[in-house]
Amino acid sequence: MKKNIYFSRHGRLNYQYSDHSQMSFELLCKLASGEEDPEVHEDIIERIKGLDQKIDLKKIEVIYFNNSGQKSVRTRQTAQKIQNYIFKKYQKKVQIIGINELKEVEFNLDKICRKNDYKQYGMIAVRKTLYNSIINEDSNSEKYSELVLRVKKIVEKLKKNPELRPAIVVTHDFLMQFIMELIKNNYQKPTLENFDISIKSDYVNGFISDDNLKEFELIKNKGTAQSTVPGHSSPGN
């Protein structure tokens, strides 16, 4: 199955938000809730150049981003920066399209993660408690069943413009991790053990998938992939 939809995390955040591991628990809670919606860091252009070396941006036909109004400044700015980069370097106009469902996973960090756990384990504690909250479908985060429906809506909207390929989808780390877990588990409900709580998507990088979000490979270098989901097609098939 042809893979020509690139899911990319937004650019690194600016100022005191640039390093999650250095944030206070209180500031991270504001970032998670959307109370704080910072702009992207000035290193965004260098990160876009790095992405260009991996996926050949001159071939991109459309860029999708989170336009929900929830933590969406970072995705909109990243999409616009990629659009401007392609125009300046390749003299090609690429449209950008907003999709509400590309917003980050919703959760109340101060309700699912204890401050002392965050101080001791950092973002690993955040990821572990968030994934557990999603799977158990408690009231302090978006539920697994809700996220599955949201991903299906993303698929439907991406299919509306099949001629606009390859495409870049600029979104958020936790949503990207959830989509990859859905694909790996064939859309069956995962357990906490399915998630690798030690990993995250790098800024302006991610994975490539097909139109149905049934297969994926991590983006590495042009024409190659870092890994392929076991049981799915190998690179080049």
Side-chain angles (χ1 to χ4, degrees), residues 90-104:
Y90 301 113
Q91 294 74 55
K92 180 179 180 180
K93 293 183 178 180
V94 176
Q95 64 176 306
I96 58 175
I97 299 175
I99 295 180
N100 278 334
E101 287 78 13
L102 289 173
K103 64 184 180 180
E104 180 61 294

Side-chain angles (χ1 to χ4, degrees), residues 35-229:
E35 182 179 342
E36 299 285 341
D37 193 8
E39 298 183 346
V40 295
H41 193 275
E42 60 185 11
D43 69 2
I44 183 70
I45 300 302
E46 291 305 312
R47 292 181 182 272
I48 292 172
K49 289 179 181 177
L51 184 66
D52 193 14
Q53 293 173 359
K54 298 173 183 177
I55 69 172
D56 206 355
L57 290 177
K58 68 175 177 290
K59 295 181 179 179
I60 297 299
E61 296 295 336
V62 65
I63 305 166
Y64 296 96
F65 72 102
N66 161 26
N67 70 338
S68 68
Q70 298 180 36
K71 296 176 266 189
S72 58
V73 168
R74 65 201 77 166
T75 59
R76 174 177 51 79
Q77 287 187 339
T78 302
Q80 291 171 338
K81 294 289 186 181
I82 296 173
Q83 181 191 45
N84 292 339
Y85 174 90
I86 294 172
F87 181 73
K88 289 180 180 179
K89 184 170 183 180
Y90 301 113
Q91 294 74 55
K92 180 179 180 180
K93 293 183 178 180
V94 176
Q95 64 176 306
I96 58 175
I97 299 175
I99 295 180
N100 278 334
E101 287 78 13
L102 289 173
K103 64 184 180 180
E104 180 61 294
V105 175
E106 297 178 18
F107 62 102
N108 295 316
L109 181 58
D110 58 338
K111 298 290 182 62
I112 65 172
C113 183
R114 293 184 299 184
K115 183 176 181 178
N116 287 339
D117 289 342
Y118 173 70
K119 285 184 175 180
Q120 184 172 359
Y121 301 107
M123 289 303 296
I124 287 179
V126 174
R127 287 190 281 271
K128 182 177 181 179
T129 53
L130 174 59
Y131 298 151
N132 201 46
S133 179
I134 291 170
I135 293 166
N136 292 328
E137 303 212 1
D138 67 34
S139 60
N140 295 312
S141 71
E142 205 167 350
K143 297 176 174 59
Y144 169 82
S145 55
E146 295 170 338
L147 278 168
V148 170
L149 290 176
R150 180 142 73 89
V151 171
K152 289 180 177 179
K153 288 182 180 179
I154 292 171
V155 172
E156 290 175 5
K157 292 187 177 183
L158 291 176
K159 283 184 173 181
K160 287 183 178 180
N161 300 294
E163 73 284 0
L164 297 178
R165 299 289 184 269
I168 294 179
V169 178
V170 181
T171 184
H172 304 264
D173 182 37
F174 289 134
L175 181 62
M176 290 170 62
Q177 297 298 331
F178 183 80
I179 291 173
M180 286 190 285
E181 288 305 321
L182 278 184
I183 295 173
K184 284 194 286 187
N185 290 283
N186 198 25
Y187 283 72
Q188 299 301 308
K189 191 171 186 177
T191 63
L192 183 59
E193 287 69 32
N194 292 127
F195 289 90
D196 186 344
I197 60 175
S198 66
I199 65 170
K200 65 175 182 177
S201 301
D202 196 10
Y203 295 111
V204 197
N205 198 34
F207 64 90
I208 178 174
S209 185
D210 60 280
D211 280 17
N212 296 306
L213 298 188
K214 292 292 186 180
E215 302 171 353
F216 80 91
E217 298 167 357
L218 299 180
I219 297 171
K220 191 177 181 182
N221 295 310
K222 289 180 183 178
T224 66
Q226 186 174 343
S227 64
T228 302
V229 181

